[in-house]
Amino acid sequence: MDTYLQALQTLLDQTVPHCRHIGLRVLKAQRGQEGLGAAVMQLKWREDLVGDPDNGSLHHGALTTLADTTGGLAIYTSLPTGTPLATLDLRLDYLKPSAAGGTLLCHAQCLKRTQKVFFMRAEIYQGPADLEDSESDWQHSLGAPSAAPPLALATGSYIITSLGFAPSLQTAAQTATQTAAAHGEAP
Amino acid sequence: MSVPSASKKPALVSLTERLKTEKRFQEIDQAIPYAKFIGLKTEMRPSGPVSLLPFRAENIGNSTLPAIHGGVIAAMLEHAAAIAFLWHHEKQAMPKPVSLNINYLRLARPEDIVAEGQVIREGRQTAHIAVSAWQESPEKPIATATANILLSMPEV
């Protein structure tokens, strides 16, 4: 995992407790052209996230958290550090239940930005059952996900708020680099 | 929580029926692992069931503000919609949400949240449910949602 992704993951783990709680991982993130960022995140199946015990599919709430966070991250990649971002609205279409076991992948893309408001679209796919952390297993490219139909579609708008301030990516990146150095790894 | 083996109904449908009959409907959350994971509870009030989400630090989505994660709020709204539907629906069919529309209206502070759903329209194939979630008072919703539900009638 490169330094930028590691910094984003550290940022999420430190400042978004629920993401750590549910096990969300950043797989890709890029600022994109004209500040229209994109991101890919993964959510591994866990028994405690099941919504329907009859088929073992994940609760829609877990899918919504995945879509909301990936969408927010896609937008956040193109914002100056410390910009406070809030979800204004979110719509989800549930196309089919997720499989019991395996991994879900969410691709999110910022489609339009204005001074205050950002529009994003996201899709959730059933990932390969054996997708592990190694990046070589991960062949999907941003904006061109797998040929299989998605499990869920999400569209949402986000707004830069006046409340508080968002965590600083720069600080998180520094922390990640320091952590890596402390463990004797190359940054 | 065992289900008679002769029954072809999904376990959750059978359980829902039994809990309603035994007036223990608020125990429905215990059958859904994710509901337990975020700490969702159902409370019976004279008007019907409401959903409660007691504050938990693990549900925070922004530790700087701090605020509860929008995904958790969405989960609660959808759960409250399903509970409202199950309570009002005579045939006990298990709802399958097709889509959910959420509006985030206020910052969800690190406190308990209450949500209540209302069945706006129930047709033969679909139902439309409106949900509102609040902290301080019902007049100050932190989020609202509408859910479209596909009715899956168990075979008689």
Side-chain angles (χ1 to χ4, degrees):
Chain A
M1 187 181 271
D2 67 31
T3 313
Y4 180 58
L5 289 185
Q6 186 61 59
L8 287 173
Q9 186 68 53
T10 305
L11 174 80
L12 282 168
D13 288 344
Q14 287 178 351
T15 63
V16 192
H18 191 64
C19 288
R20 193 176 57 231
H21 195 47
I22 208 169
L24 290 186
R25 284 179 56 82
V26 184
L27 292 185
K28 291 197 175 188
Q30 64 182 37
R31 292 184 177 86
Q33 291 183 335
E34 296 173 7
L36 300 179
V40 180
M41 294 188 79
Q42 112 181 13
L43 174 66
K44 282 188 181 177
W45 184 91
R46 280 195 346 218
E47 198 166 5
D48 55 3
L49 302 179
V50 164
D52 185 348
D54 286 310
N55 62 15
S57 63
L58 291 179
H59 193 278
H60 287 169
L63 273 62
T64 308
T65 299
L66 174 63
D68 184 28
T69 310
T70 314
L73 185 67
I75 293 163
Y76 193 71
T77 55
S78 62
L79 291 174
T81 57
T83 308
L85 190 68
T87 314
L88 195 58
D89 61 42
L90 195 61
R91 179 202 162 92
L92 278 112
D93 289 281
Y94 306 112
L95 277 57
K96 65 180 283 195
S98 64
T103 300
L104 296 187
L105 304 170
C106 181
H107 293 244
Q109 173 96 44
C110 177
L111 300 176
K112 166 74 180 171
R113 61 182 294 177
T114 69
Q115 277 199 325
K116 283 266 180 191
V117 177
F118 298 76
F119 300 91
M120 76 87 191
R121 184 171 63 199
E123 289 155 1
I124 296 176
Y125 293 87
Q126 188 77 53
D130 57 351
L131 180 75
E132 279 307 321
D133 293 345
S134 77
E135 288 179 58
S136 58
D137 289 344
W138 166 250
Q139 297 297 329
H140 302 290
S141 59
L142 282 172
S146 72
L151 303 182
L153 308 173
T155 51
S157 56
Y158 294 68
I159 188 165
I160 295 175
T161 67
S162 52
L163 275 169
F165 59 89
S168 161
L169 181 56
Q170 199 179 343
T171 311
Q174 284 164 355
T175 310
T177 308
Q178 284 161 5
T179 309
H183 287 81
E185 300 163 11
Chain B
M1 218 158 81
S2 63
V3 178
S5 57
S7 171
K8 287 181 181 173
K9 289 175 187 171
L12 207 52
V13 174
S14 305
L15 177 70
T16 305
E17 289 183 11
R18 193 157 59 79
L19 290 177
K20 275 183 78 167
T21 310
E22 296 174 9
K23 301 192 189 302
R24 296 193 295 139
F25 189 66
Q26 56 270 39
E27 291 173 30
I28 186 81
D29 311 306
Q30 296 303 311
I32 303 168
Y34 179 85
K36 283 199 285 186
F37 177 73
I38 62 169
L40 272 172
K41 294 187 187 328
T42 300
E43 186 179 286
M44 293 306 298
R45 294 190 177 174
S47 58
V50 296
S51 295
L52 298 180
L53 185 66
F55 171 70
R56 284 186 181 186
E58 305 85 60
N59 288 340
I60 284 179
N62 183 327
S63 57
T64 313
L65 287 173
I68 295 170
H69 199 288
V72 176
I73 296 167
M76 185 196 193
L77 288 163
E78 186 170 316
H79 186 74
I83 292 291
F85 175 79
L86 283 171
W87 183 250
H88 290 285
H89 194 57
E90 289 177 6
K91 291 182 182 169
Q92 321 274 5
M94 199 56 205
K96 287 195 175 82
V98 175
S99 64
L100 183 73
N101 252 297
I102 311 139
N103 295 298
Y104 296 100
L105 307 175
R106 288 183 175 86
L107 179 76
R109 287 173 283 114
E111 295 168 14
D112 300 356
I113 308 178
V114 187
E116 187 167 18
Q118 189 187 0
V119 181
I120 303 291
R121 149 97 177 133
E122 187 182 331
R124 274 180 301 175
Q125 299 186 79
T126 59
H128 184 74
I129 297 159
V131 201
S132 182
W134 67 88
Q135 291 183 313
E136 193 181 320
S137 82
E139 285 73 42
K140 288 185 174 178
I142 57 157
T144 58
T146 53
N148 283 317
I149 281 176
L150 183 64
L151 308 189
S152 57
M153 300 296 179
E155 288 181 28
V156 181

